Every structure is written in structure tokens, then in C-alpha cells.
Amino acid sequence: MKRFFQPVNNDKSFKKPNVSSSSPEEPSVNNENGGEKIEKNKKDPLKFLTWNANSFLLRVKNNWPEFTKFLEKLDPDVIAIQEVRMPAAGSKGSPKNPGELKDDTSSSREEKQTLMRAISSPPLQNYHVWWSLSDSKYAGTALFVKKCIQPKKVSFSLDGKASKHEPDGRVILAEFESFRLLNTYAPNNGWKEEENSFPRRRKWDKRILEFVAQSTDKPLIWCGDLNVSHQEIDVSHPDFFSSAKVNNYIPPNKEDCGQPGFTLNERKRFSTILSEGKLVDAYRFLHKEKDIEHGFSWSGNPVGKYRGKRMRIDYFIVSEKLKDKIVSCEMHGQGIELEGFYGSDHCPVSLELSSVDSSES
């Protein structure tokens, strides 16, 4: 969800990068003295982080020291990013490569270098990265996986075809030994019965429902900005969000009324997805009560009518057979001043599991 945008400024303060490929390499991490050490291979990741960065490049330029300090402390095995907002490789008028960053103009080259300098330095140099990008500075996802953990397969669409990317780069699907991890950036429902609003979101929810219903051979961990607040407990001001509208427009179906992400139709469809997919909301599984300080992942603009209005729209959803493995699931931002949001309008959300046995899948 959008709050406000900042201009992308040139930043030449980084040193020239030593850019590494995202293809598999020997796993290694830097020790505190800057030397290399070999990290023991792991079969499956157990610590996860998801974050809608609201422009990954802006976060690198403006919030990187604070965010990387947070990453070093949390030390996740997997980092799922949404709203990368970096364009896919390919010149104007030619086919795009959603798995690569654009670098065919001087400005795009500089932006790519700025980003790659950041992720080629600690702590992200210890991760492989996969991209799924839009044609423009819109949407897009990224997945960082520690080099000591090798996914069996990484694909970029809900039908699992490795060579195909979803429009706008909204999906990265990684298969591990004991489960699959799905990183998604769900399209916003919008406010009207028009092509890029209600119908687009209905189609997305239908495809997600089909995916979870068919993906029963392995447990699933589904994370990302799902752009829906499931229940009233998941928003700070239910009455405000239920009655929200733009330009006094009222949809024909009253169940489409209200703030995108909190309409009755969206919430009902989300309930169906959880039920049919035999899925559990990891955060709500552990946190039964409303937490007005720490219980939301998105916050409105601190200036204006959305000040203090917050929603939980970023999730870790897990298969029921994994629910007893949940050690923790936490929001890492708090308050109406967006502490712990690192410049985004979303805060990071983490999940930790105890060991997962592949025989349980």
C-alpha cells in the first residue's frame, strides 16, 4: 500500500561494488574481523523475514545503516521483499527480463550499481538473491536466501513454471526440502468496479485459492504484503476503514465498500483461501489479542486523516501441519511515528520455526 513517495536522488557515496551472481556458490559468511569462514550447510531455512520496502533503492539510499543493523541482529535465513520498484532489464520497446535489473541507460546503470553495492556488502553478501521485476518502477519482488541453504527450485509464477514471471513481478516461489515458500505482493483492491481494481483483485484471489488447494504435497509458508486485513482486530480503527471512500464513490455491492484491504468481499475470500488451503495465520495463532502498539504492519501517512490509522496486511501464513513448529512471529515496527519501519510505510515481519522434518510433508 502506498503512503507517499520521495524522489530518487543520485548517491555516489558507496565504494565501487564487487558484484556477485545470484547463481549457487560455495556458502560462506564474513566473520567480525572481515575474514571468510565457512557456514555449515542447512537443509531448510528456519528464520524468515518479510518486508514491503516501498522502493528498495530508496531504502538503500536513505535507511540502509539502520536496516542492516536490524538484519544483523535478527539474522534471518530468508528475506522476502515486496515493492522492489526497480525496472526489469531490457531496452525500450524490446522484451524485458524480469529476473535482471535494468542497466541499459546511464541512470538505470547508476541505480543498479547503487543497489548492488549495498547487497554485495555485509550482511546481504551472505545471501543469494532472485528478482522478479516489473517493466517499470512498480511492484516487483526479491528473495534473499543464505548461501548455506540451497533451494531445490525457484520459480516466479503461481503455475510453477521457472521461465515465466507473473505480471508486475508479484510472485517468487522457492521449494526447499521440507516445504515451499511463496513470496507475494498482492495487487491492491482499489476503490472501483474497473479493470485495475475489483476485477483484478478477484482474479488474483481466485488464482491464489487454486494454488493453495493444489499445493498439498508439501507444507507451504506464504509470506508478503497480502493487502488484506482479515478481521477487525487487524486494523486500528475498524469503523474508519469500513466507511472509507474516495470522491464519495459508493460501489454497487455494499460488500465492496470501504478501505481497500478491509472490504467484506476481500476478507471473505481470504477466509476461504485459509480454509480451503488448510492454512494458519502464524501471527494470530500466537497473538490472540489486539495490540494497538505492535500489532500492525502498515501505517498511514503521519500527516493527514490517515495519521495513526494502521492495518495488518503483511503476513506469514503456514500450513496447519507446521503450526506447532511456530516459535515466534513478530511485527518489528510500532507507534504512529513509524518506529522500526526504516522509511517504508510497512514494517518488517519475522517468523521463526523449530526444525521441520521432511517426513512430515
Side-chain angles (χ1 to χ4, degrees):
M1 295 183 67
K2 303 295 187 296
R3 179 163 56 106
F4 55 87
F5 298 97
Q6 303 176 32
V8 178
N9 299 313
N10 289 339
D11 188 335
K12 300 181 180 178
S13 61
F14 288 101
K15 295 180 180 179
K16 190 171 182 177
N18 179 16
V19 178
S20 60
S21 168
S22 63
S23 58
E25 303 168 359
E26 287 298 317
S28 62
V29 297
N30 278 8
N31 63 25
E32 292 181 355
N33 297 319
E36 292 282 329
K37 69 176 182 180
I38 300 299
E39 185 172 356
K40 183 179 179 182
N41 286 336
K42 298 180 182 179
K43 183 176 66 172
D44 285 321
L46 297 175
K47 295 179 71 174
F48 309 84
L49 186 75
T50 184
W51 186 38
N52 179 322
N54 193 14
S55 175
F56 201 38
L57 181 65
L58 281 180
R59 304 293 75 83
V60 166
K61 287 174 174 286
N62 299 326
N63 312 94
W64 206 237
E66 299 86 355
F67 181 63
T68 52
K69 184 177 180 181
F70 164 73
L71 281 183
E72 288 169 348
K73 182 178 180 181
L74 189 70
D75 192 28
D77 297 322
V78 172
I79 304 165
I81 302 291
Q82 304 86 43
E83 273 204 271
V84 172
R85 285 171 44 193
M86 290 287 284
S91 58
K92 186 176 181 180
S94 65
K96 303 298 189 289
N97 179 359
E100 297 288 342
L101 298 165
K102 180 180 177 67
D103 63 356
D104 64 312
T105 65
S106 59
S107 60
S108 64
R109 230 174 353 258
E110 184 174 352
E111 290 177 351
K112 178 179 178 179
Q113 287 175 350
T114 298
L115 189 58
M116 296 306 292
R117 286 169 191 145
I119 68 174
S120 299
S121 301
L124 287 181
Q125 70 174 26
N126 304 322
Y127 295 76
H128 293 303
V129 60
W130 288 263
W131 308 99
S132 188
L133 305 171
S134 176
D135 290 353
S136 61
K137 289 186 176 181
Y138 173 72
T141 51
L143 188 71
F144 293 83
V145 180
K146 275 189 174 179
K147 291 179 180 178
C148 61
I149 304 169
Q150 294 294 335
K152 294 168 70 71
K153 177 183 178 183
V154 178
S155 52
F156 307 94
S157 67
L158 292 174
D159 61 16
K161 294 181 180 178
S163 61
K164 178 183 175 183
H165 287 248
E166 291 289 335
D168 301 325
R170 294 187 179 274
V171 169
I172 301 181
L173 177 64
E175 181 177 348
F176 296 95
E177 186 72 26
S178 304
F179 54 80
R180 292 186 179 91
L181 177 81
L182 177 64
N183 172 21
T184 66
Y185 175 40
N188 189 288
N189 190 56
W191 297 91
K192 294 185 177 182
E193 188 67 57
E194 55 189 25
E195 184 178 356
N196 285 327
S197 290
F198 298 164
R200 179 179 69 162
R201 182 54 188 256
R202 291 188 199 113
K203 181 179 178 180
W204 171 268
D205 288 343
K206 181 175 183 290
R207 294 188 63 215
I208 289 288
L209 176 61
E210 291 169 350
F211 173 84
V212 300
Q214 294 168 5
S215 301
T216 56
D217 57 320
K218 273 189 175 181
L220 177 67
I221 299 173
W222 174 24
C223 69
D225 176 358
L226 308 191
N227 256 323
V228 62
S229 292
H230 189 201
Q231 299 169 332
E232 288 196 356
I233 192 176
D234 297 314
V235 297
S236 60
H237 298 77
D239 292 341
F240 173 87
F241 288 117
S242 294
S243 60
K245 53 188 173 183
V246 168
N247 298 327
N248 292 318
Y249 174 78
I250 300 176
N253 184 341
K254 67 179 182 180
E255 294 193 346
D256 287 323
C257 293
Q259 178 75 27
F262 195 61
T263 66
L264 283 175
N265 272 333
E266 290 173 276
R267 294 160 60 195
K268 285 181 177 179
R269 293 196 299 266
F270 192 59
S271 291
T272 300
I273 291 168
L274 297 185
S275 174
E276 294 293 319
K278 296 181 173 55
L279 300 169
V280 173
D281 176 349
Y283 179 83
R284 192 56 67 206
F285 179 71
L286 296 180
H287 306 273
K288 309 296 186 186
E289 304 297 326
K290 189 168 188 172
D291 184 342
I292 201 67
E293 274 297 303
H294 302 89
F296 309 106
S297 63
W298 175 87
S299 186
N301 193 329
V303 178
K305 69 177 183 179
Y306 275 85
R307 177 176 172 80
K309 309 301 191 298
R310 289 164 286 171
M311 307 174 74
R312 187 171 73 94
I313 58 176
D314 302 84
Y315 291 80
F316 279 99
I317 305 294
V318 305
S319 296
E320 287 182 353
K321 58 182 67 177
L322 293 180
K323 67 181 182 181
D324 293 329
K325 302 290 186 181
I326 300 172
V327 175
S328 66
C329 186
E330 302 296 336
M331 309 282 160
H332 291 275
Q334 63 178 351
I336 62 177
E337 301 301 331
L338 310 185
E339 180 184 345
F341 282 63
Y342 305 104
S344 177
D345 49 355
H346 297 246
C347 72
V349 182
S350 66
L351 171 73
E352 183 174 359
L353 302 178
S354 59
S355 59
V356 179
D357 188 343
S358 60
S359 66
E360 298 175 5
S361 60

